[in-house]
Amino acid sequence: MSVSAAVLSVHPEVAEALAAGRPVVALESTIISHGLPSPRNVVVAGEIEQSVRDGGAVPATIAIIAGVVKVGLTADELAILGDPGSNVTKVSTRDLGPVMAAGGHGATTVSATSHIAHLAGIKYFATGGLGGVHRGARDTWDESADLVTLARTPITVTCAGVKSILDVGATLERLETLGVTVVGYGTDAFPGFYRADSGHTVTWRVDTPEQAAAIGAQRDAIKAPGAIVVAAPVGSADELDLDLHDRTLASGLTAADAAHISGKDVTPFLLDWFHTQTNNQSLEVNVTLIRANALLAAQIAVAAS
Ligand code: PSU
Ligand code: MN
């Protein structure tokens, strides 16, 4: 796939690894700019990249810096994304053109990151939790663009399921309709982001990185258009307490409603609500699970290479 270097700037370390067929894992940047509080976000961004390296792969964090789509960021670029004063737009696939045209900074969601990773030839991607169908979607029609992008983007994304702020059952139904393969990692239960078990089950299960890589290879062989979601639960010792989770979610949904939060602001609002209301316990769970996902994605990329 040829894309002008003027719009898609691949970091030399990433470009060399891709050219040599070495494992590379894409990472999103919305979690840095809109999912985690400053200044911890920049520290965590570095830790996530380190987890990918620990797993034996090269990290490629994706974002838009001054209108240019970057695949693999420098420390200075990570710092720009983490600074609340930088005016970083949350960029889903529909926002790519406008932010590039304006020469702005953009933090890419799972949707935009998957699209760019695939364009750059990267087949593995790690995140915290996918977006999906929001509670109340019957009235609001609020469904993350992550779902439709995953339907048409043949990558393997490692995550802790979908965010527990969502309607998880409805999201799983939509993933089925959209042709996205969902695989539990070491579990038959679909993970619940802050919680190991969402209360829903998965159709497919793998227990090793090799098994996950084999599914990706066969998907590619048969040219199935959609993503494979490798859903890895947070460890039982690291979960958010169930009562605290349910109470915080209920109060957060009420608060979002009262403040008339809608559209792309809903997810950042609820994540921030969790972090403040749980005294950062949810933040620690989020950091733990995303680092574990980054490590696992690297192990899958290594197994495939
Ligand atoms: N996972 C996290 N924190 C996040 C997100 C995922 O642990 O901040 C982000 C991802 O970028 C995902 C986005 O694509 O939230 C979904 O936003 P929305 O619901 O507006 O589509
Ligand atoms: Mn939305």
Side-chain angles (χ1 to χ4, degrees):
M1 220 168 311
S2 101
V3 184
S4 157
V7 292
L8 189 69
S9 170
V10 183
H11 191 286
E13 186 192 10
V14 175
E16 279 164 32
L18 287 171
R22 289 198 302 270
V24 175
V25 172
L27 299 167
E28 59 144 312
S29 44
T30 294
I31 187 161
I32 304 170
S33 304
H34 305 98
L36 299 169
S38 167
R40 180 85 188 274
N41 54 358
V42 178
V43 178
V44 173
E47 291 173 349
I48 300 168
E49 292 197 346
Q50 187 56 48
S51 296
V52 171
R53 292 188 193 281
D54 292 346
V58 172
T61 305
I62 291 177
I64 303 176
I65 302 291
V68 178
V69 176
K70 303 266 181 169
V71 179
L73 302 179
T74 63
D76 286 350
E77 290 165 343
L78 284 176
I80 290 172
L81 293 174
D83 179 356
S86 299
N87 194 18
V88 180
T89 304
K90 177 178 166 185
V91 173
S92 181
T93 302
R94 65 165 189 166
D95 308 301
L96 285 167
V99 172
M100 291 167 70
H105 300 316
T108 51
T109 64
V110 169
S111 170
T113 306
S114 319
H115 171 74
I116 294 162
H118 178 60
L119 198 62
I122 300 173
K123 296 165 81 167
Y124 306 92
F125 171 25
T127 184
L130 302 179
V133 180
H134 283 261
R135 292 162 196 249
R138 202 171 270 103
D139 301 313
T140 62
W141 291 74
D142 189 356
E143 170 181 307
S144 177
D146 292 357
L147 298 184
V148 289
T149 309
L150 292 177
R152 58 174 184 246
T153 312
I155 56 160
T156 296
V157 49
T158 304
C159 60
V162 302
K163 281 184 280 285
S164 52
I165 58 175
L166 300 167
D167 184 333
V168 179
T171 304
L172 284 169
E173 292 292 348
R174 289 288 291 144
L175 287 168
E176 179 181 1
T177 304
L178 291 165
V180 177
T181 303
V182 179
V183 179
Y185 190 84
T187 181
D188 296 306
F190 188 62
F193 192 56
Y194 293 135
R195 299 283 306 168
D197 183 349
S198 67
H200 298 265
T201 53
V202 288
T203 317
W204 301 107
R205 167 185 178 144
V206 296
D207 292 282
T208 64
E210 288 73 20
Q211 290 171 348
I215 293 177
Q218 297 300 346
R219 181 268 321 269
D220 289 350
I222 203 65
K223 300 194 188 309
I228 294 165
V229 173
V230 176
V234 68
S236 53
D238 299 315
E239 294 183 287
L240 194 62
D241 174 79
L242 184 59
D243 282 344
L244 178 61
H245 175 276
D246 291 354
R247 257 187 288 127
T248 308
L249 178 57
S251 62
L253 292 169
T254 306
D257 217 36
H260 302 293
I261 305 294
S262 67
K264 68 201 278 189
D265 298 328
V266 173
T267 298
F269 178 91
L270 289 173
L271 291 175
D272 182 63
W273 181 270
F274 261 91
H275 299 334
T276 10
Q277 298 294 313
T278 67
N279 265 318
N280 284 340
Q281 287 184 55
S282 62
L283 176 60
E284 297 311 324
V285 181
N286 205 341
V287 171
T288 301
L289 67 85
I290 191 166
R291 292 196 61 180
N293 295 341
L295 178 67
L296 178 57
Q299 291 166 338
I300 296 170
V302 168
S305 72

